[in-house]
Amino acid sequence: YVKMVHNGIEYGDIQLICESYFVMREVLGMDNAEIQATFTEWNKGDLDSYLIEITRDIFGKKDEDGKYVVDKILDTAGQKGTGKWTAISALDLGMPLTLIGEAVFARCLSAQKAQRVAASKVLKGPKTAPFAGDKKETLEALRQALFASKIVSYAQGFVLIKAASDTYEWEIDYGRVSLMWRGGCIIRSKFLNNIRDAFAKKPALENLLLDDFFMDKIHAAQAGWRKVVGLCVMRGIPLPCMSSALSYYDGYRTARLPANLLQAQRDYFGAHQYERVDKPRGDFFHTNWTGRGGSTASTTYKV
């Protein structure tokens, strides 16, 4: 199970790097040599990892004709299924594994190559001018967006492992999991040391976002994160994982979400009942919204 979640996080890491590359190419107009130099620099700091390292190498590889190999590769992603299994398990356990789910769907969308080519000829996006902002500043914002999104990906992954461990009584040591992933795994990185430290300080930590180290890093990165996501939305550049990570972060830090309306709708059309803010948790109520439904209510259940 832990290996499956590792692979799901790998899906997320890879997609986040691909989105960063897409911003460099489509927004900033960078060539492969510039992109390689950027990943080389990024690999010296917080983003130091195997996947950033091989991405750096990929952007330096040329074919026999002197042209870059990466530019000759068809943009349709394959998958073996472990990302999908991770997302399915998250749904079964009721865990919001949003980033990894989007990484799986991004591969599915990439596989619809013929449809995308046809759609690109008829579906219009926003009219944009060439980027005229500060390139260096935007690259730093992109680095922050990648790092913050990566934090969310791992936070969601460990939330899923914890849910499975609690449900199936596995008693998993989360700090040891992070150490195991350092040894020869695709997602091995400097980052995993900080995860080990977080669980060493608080073994029952509910979410990595609540650890002081990761909290400080996200607070420092969020301005750049929001800038990049906003910039790409306005320019019609898809960032499924970065944007879903930001939405998860904003949702997780929001004390009152609009699910009260959702519960009212469910109770209106299906008498599914709801809890009240002025009553103890676990007490359920039904409203006769139309005056014709009477007091009949559905049973409650949890997923």
Side-chain angles (χ1 to χ4, degrees):
Y1 190 90
V2 167
K3 170 59 176 172
M4 178 192 73
V5 176
H6 162 281
N7 285 23
I9 292 173
E10 176 190 317
Y11 272 55
D13 269 3
I14 290 173
Q15 178 62 28
L16 288 169
I17 293 170
C18 290
E19 290 175 19
S20 300
Y21 152 60
F22 207 50
V23 174
M24 293 180 203
R25 191 187 76 185
E26 298 297 314
V27 177
L28 301 180
M30 295 168 62
D31 61 28
N32 288 341
E34 292 177 296
I35 293 172
Q36 183 188 37
T38 299
F39 281 114
T40 299
E41 189 62 30
W42 285 2
N43 202 46
K44 297 175 183 177
D46 288 330
L47 290 169
D48 177 9
S49 66
Y50 173 73
L51 284 170
I52 293 289
E53 179 184 323
I54 68 168
T55 302
R56 172 202 66 195
D57 295 344
I58 287 168
F59 280 103
K61 184 66 174 177
K62 294 183 179 180
D63 215 341
E64 292 85 353
D65 59 4
K67 295 181 180 179
Y68 288 99
V69 174
V70 69
D71 294 333
K72 296 184 176 184
I73 298 174
L74 187 68
D75 58 319
T76 57
Q79 51 184 317
K80 293 292 182 65
T82 44
K84 179 183 72 174
W85 301 340
T86 308
I88 290 171
S89 179
L91 290 169
D92 287 340
L93 292 168
M95 292 296 107
L97 203 75
T98 58
L99 192 151
I100 292 172
E102 286 292 348
V104 174
F105 290 134
R107 295 194 186 196
C108 296
L109 182 59
S110 78
Q112 297 180 330
K113 176 67 174 179
Q115 289 188 47
R116 289 189 291 109
V117 170
S120 71
K121 298 173 183 177
V122 295
L123 296 179
K124 300 184 183 302
K127 293 181 179 179
T128 58
F131 180 76
D134 188 311
K135 185 174 178 179
K136 183 177 180 181
E137 183 181 283
T138 304
L139 268 178
E140 173 56 20
L142 182 59
R143 185 196 67 79
Q144 293 172 350
L146 174 56
F147 186 55
S149 300
K150 183 182 174 81
I151 291 173
V152 168
S153 180
Y154 283 68
Q156 291 183 356
F158 274 94
V159 163
L160 177 59
I161 292 174
K162 185 177 188 305
S165 181
D166 291 345
T167 300
Y168 305 121
E169 300 180 350
W170 288 337
E171 299 183 0
I172 292 174
D173 184 327
Y174 312 115
R176 290 184 64 187
V177 168
S178 65
L179 286 179
M180 179 177 64
W181 286 351
R182 285 183 55 199
C185 292
I186 300 298
I187 65 171
R188 62 184 181 270
S189 65
K190 172 183 176 182
F191 188 85
L192 291 168
N193 292 330
N194 306 116
I195 295 177
R196 175 204 59 195
D197 294 343
F199 285 114
K201 286 188 296 182
K202 190 174 182 180
L205 182 67
E206 290 185 329
N207 193 308
L208 284 171
L209 294 176
L210 302 177
D211 174 72
D212 289 340
F213 173 83
F214 291 108
M215 194 185 304
D216 290 345
K217 288 292 186 180
I218 277 237
H219 288 166
Q222 73 167 298
W225 193 11
R226 295 182 189 282
K227 175 181 178 178
V228 168
V229 171
L231 174 66
C232 289
V233 167
M234 296 306 296
R235 298 181 74 89
I237 303 297
L239 295 181
C241 282
M242 284 189 187
S243 59
S244 71
L246 182 55
S247 290
Y248 173 84
Y249 172 73
D250 283 336
Y252 190 68
R253 66 178 188 82
T254 299
R256 184 167 170 81
L257 291 167
N260 54 315
L261 174 58
L262 186 154
Q263 286 297 87
Q265 292 170 327
R266 294 178 68 243
D267 191 57
Y268 189 112
F269 65 68
H272 292 296
Q273 306 184 69
Y274 53 83
E275 294 173 281
R276 294 175 61 109
V277 298
D278 56 350
K279 299 293 182 181
R281 291 296 307 269
D283 291 349
F284 288 86
F285 302 85
H286 168 61
T287 292
N288 183 357
W289 298 94
T290 64
R292 301 187 302 273
S295 59
T296 301
S298 171
T299 56
T300 60
Y301 57 90
K302 293 183 178 179
V303 176

